[in-house]
Amino acid sequence: MAERIVTLTRLINVKMGVDRSKDQLPKKLYEPVEFEGKEYRLSREEVERALDMYYELRGWNREGVPREEAERRVKEIAKSLRIEEST
């Protein structure tokens, strides 16, 4: 059920204009940090790869829009709860 909630939330956000460009971390998180004498830095490429993997696992396309199969699962739960769709 949680999967469908996340997908439903994403569908609503997509209708409001959210896409991959909005799924970005704050600039501060790309700044280097030091831990136990070693410097660590998160690259934008790492974040992009992580987004690709996350979207794929969720059943969304490369832009973060749920694919038809993911939408179908959301519609199934709505139907089982007898929630009418408004299009």
Side-chain angles (χ1 to χ4, degrees), residues 24-84:
Q24 300 299 315
L25 296 174
K27 291 179 183 180
K28 179 142 182 83
L29 294 179
Y30 294 103
E31 295 174 8
V33 295
E34 191 173 315
F35 179 72
E36 294 183 350
K38 189 171 179 184
E39 186 177 280
Y40 296 90
R41 178 184 300 258
L42 180 63
S43 73
R44 294 191 186 278
E45 293 79 22
E46 290 172 308
V47 172
E48 290 300 316
R49 283 194 305 270
L51 271 178
D52 288 341
M53 288 188 288
Y54 178 76
Y55 291 166
E56 183 64 31
L57 289 170
R58 287 275 175 210
W60 303 350
N61 71 17
R62 188 158 172 17
E63 290 303 310
V65 178
R67 292 188 181 111
E68 192 174 309
E69 175 63 22
E71 273 191 70
R72 185 185 61 73
R73 290 191 300 268
V74 168
K75 288 177 182 177
E76 285 175 3
I77 192 68
K79 185 177 180 181
S80 72
L81 295 172
R82 295 196 171 121
I83 297 173
E84 292 186 28

